[in-house]
Each structure stands twice: as C-alpha cells, then as structure tokens.
Amino acid sequence: MPSGQETDRARGALYGLAIGDALGMPTQLLSRRQITRRWGPLLSGFEPAPPGHPIAAGMPAGAVTDDTEQAVLLGRLLVAGPVDPRELAAALVAWEHGMAERGSLDLLGPSTRRAVAAVLAGTPPEEAGVHGDTNGAAMRITPVGIKAAPDNPRALVDAVQEASLVTHNTSVALAGAAAVAAAVSAGISGTGGVAAVTEAAVGAARLGAERGHWVAGADVAARIRWATGLVAGLPPAEAAEAIYSLVGTSLATQESVPAAFAVLSAVPDDPWQACLLAASLGGDCDTIAAMAGAVGGAVHGLAAFPAHAVKVIDAQGLALADLADSLLELRQ
C-alpha cells in the first residue's frame, strides 16, 4: 500500500509535468531574447501565447500542450496493462487527429510522426523507431517512473524501452527517457533531494544508452553531470543564460534532458521556481519545463506547488491525481 508521502510525490510528478508544460506553452520555440523582451529575465506565472506564436497562438494562460497530453495517454495505457506498441501508435494517431480537428498546430514531433506512419504502413514496431533520437520519449515517460520502482534499474530501463521503442528506439533517446524515469522513480521513493535523483538519472542514462539502435550523439549521462555542475549555485537568470547558450534547448535529447537537470541543479529546493526558470529558457522550453517539473514534483511532492497552479491544471479535466494514484498502485 503506497504511503501518503509516496502518493503526494507521485501526484507531484504528474502535476509538475503539466505545470511546467503550461508555463512553457507561450515561450516554446521563441528565443531567449524574445522571451526577455516580452516577460523579463524570468516568467512569474502562467501567460497566454502571444499573437502570432508559431504553434500556440490563441492558447490561453495555463493551457497544456502535447507533452502533458501524451504523458496522460501513455499513463492510461500503462494502467490498462503492458504497452502494446501498435496500440500506442494507434492512440497517438487518434490523439493527433483530435488535436487537428480542434485547430491545434501542436501535433506529433518529427520522430513520433515518422515512426507512427511506418507502423501503420506495416513496419514492425521494433524497427519503426530506429531513427527516433529527439526528446518525445523523455517528455512523456513520467508515468513509467511512477509505476516502476527504482530498486531494479535494469527492469526500469526495460519498462522505458517497452514504452518508447515504437517511436524512439535509439540509444540517445532511450538514455534521455531512462534518465527522466529513473529520477522520477527515485524521487517518489524518497531517495533524497535533487542531487540524489540526478545520480539515479545518470546511472539509468548509461544503461539506456546500451539499448536500441545506436545513433551518433553526445553522451546523455555525461552531459547531465556536466550541465548540473555548470550552473550549480548560479542565480536563476544567470543559470538561464548558461543553459540556453551552452547546454542547449533544442528538441535534441542530448540538449533538452541535460537542460532539465541543469534547471533543477540551479533551483533544487523549489519545483515551481524551477519550472518558471525552465519556461524562460527559450527553444523547446515547454518540454524542458515539463521534465524539470516532473522530477522536481517527484522529489518535493504536490504540496510544493502553489495551490493556484494546481487549480489551473485541475480545471482542464485531466484527472491527474487519479491517474497518478492508479500508476502508484501498480508500482513494483
């Protein structure tokens, strides 16, 4: 039976993901300079997407994006049983169709779209994701971290690969997804603070890098360790500049996953402030903020986020508390 603290941390992981995602919704794909000109060095809360935004124009303050919606989709599949790759592919296609019908431009990422099309054309699922090296697996992997306990890292990475291979069956993508899942899992178990769960992330990233199809790219584990040391102790605005210019904030796994852990290293004790920092970076900052929020929420629990931020997410009817509780009940 999960403890009250574990329940709070599991909920914190899912809500943290959604809160970070919603904070980064209006700033995603903008440059750091564009963000600072409009909102200052750091965001102070939820903002609507600015007019003319490349994919989010018209979205209201607090709205979530594909990061949260795909994580919820994966979480519901995990509650129902082992993830079937074809079922996940079909669910992603149905999700994208629904988003397109609502007029959204925030649809499947490049790796996911290519892999899903291959599966629907008859490609075996284990082969469809051989080119998927972007951060789509890492952005939606938090439910695996809630369901899988941290005491068997190889089993956790097995679960990560099972949930990711149809779209991101590459060494770099699996390393990034394993890092996020392991940090979430360790946080929920009360392993320790951000530094401790980052060590779990580094170990899992090394295991993940041994899986899937090898692709060229910087080592995710090494870059997490380097990025976290780079910004530790810096004021948030200085950390933001360093992460943006040196770590990188693109959708490349080897940039965005280390960037999320760097954010947490800069603001280890307050996941809400970590999300604000991540959302202020520029680039793929909704995904970076979602990952940082998920890990920070797993470490500190739902109670660490402002009540008004939780209400903003609850108003969207995602039933995150119920989903987190259901995943935690299956934790092994």
Side-chain angles (χ1 to χ4, degrees):
M1 187 76 179
S3 69
Q5 285 188 328
E6 286 177 327
T7 297
D8 184 56
R9 290 170 182 153
R11 292 180 178 184
L14 277 189
Y15 274 91
L17 185 156
I19 287 168
D21 179 26
L23 287 169
M25 175 274 295
T27 55
Q28 62 179 314
L29 302 186
L30 302 183
S31 70
R32 171 77 178 148
R33 178 173 295 183
Q34 288 173 307
I35 292 168
T36 57
R37 283 177 176 173
R38 187 177 186 92
W39 291 289
L42 296 172
L43 270 70
S44 59
F46 298 111
E47 297 284 350
H53 191 283
I55 61 172
M59 292 183 72
V64 299
T65 79
D66 60 321
D67 299 67
T68 302
E69 296 200 8
Q70 288 190 34
V72 169
L73 182 155
L74 175 60
R76 290 171 178 165
L77 289 176
L78 286 166
V79 169
V83 176
D84 178 83
R86 289 183 177 84
E87 185 179 2
L88 175 58
L92 288 168
V93 169
W95 170 82
E96 183 173 51
H97 287 167
M99 292 287 281
E101 288 173 0
R102 299 199 299 268
S104 175
L105 297 176
D106 199 2
L107 304 176
L108 296 177
S111 295
T112 300
R113 178 177 288 110
R114 181 171 55 235
V116 165
V119 170
L120 297 180
T123 301
E126 61 275 11
E127 297 177 13
V130 298
H131 302 294
D133 57 0
T134 49
N135 60 17
M139 83 176 192
R140 63 176 181 247
I141 204 64
T142 290
V144 171
I146 298 173
K147 184 179 178 181
D151 55 334
N152 187 339
R154 290 192 179 277
L156 185 146
V157 176
D158 288 344
V160 167
Q161 186 170 18
E162 182 180 72
S164 306
L165 67 84
V166 69
T167 58
H168 293 81
N169 195 19
T170 64
S171 54
V172 68
L174 292 172
V180 175
V184 167
S185 180
I188 291 169
S189 288
T191 298
V194 163
V197 304
T198 299
E199 285 302 308
V202 168
R206 289 176 177 146
L207 293 176
E210 299 172 356
R211 307 293 183 91
H213 293 258
W214 179 86
V215 292
D219 183 79
V220 173
R223 280 183 59 80
I224 290 172
R225 193 176 294 285
W226 165 74
T228 53
L230 177 71
V231 302
L234 290 181
E238 290 185 28
E241 294 294 339
I243 294 168
Y244 178 73
S245 60
L246 298 176
V247 181
T249 61
S250 77
L251 51 72
T253 300
Q254 62 269 37
E255 289 192 4
S256 55
V257 172
F261 283 97
V263 164
L264 292 165
S265 178
V267 191
D269 299 322
D270 189 333
W272 169 248
Q273 292 298 325
C275 287
L276 289 170
L277 169 56
S280 305
L281 292 174
D284 197 15
C285 54
D286 61 328
T287 296
I288 295 169
M291 293 186 291
V295 175
V299 171
H300 296 289
L302 181 60
F305 292 100
H308 75 84
V310 175
K311 289 181 180 178
V312 166
I313 300 303
D314 279 338
Q316 298 177 57
L318 297 168
L320 295 185
D322 290 343
L323 179 57
D325 293 354
S326 296
L327 290 164
L328 191 61
E329 289 288 343
L330 300 172
R331 190 171 173 88
Q332 301 194 10

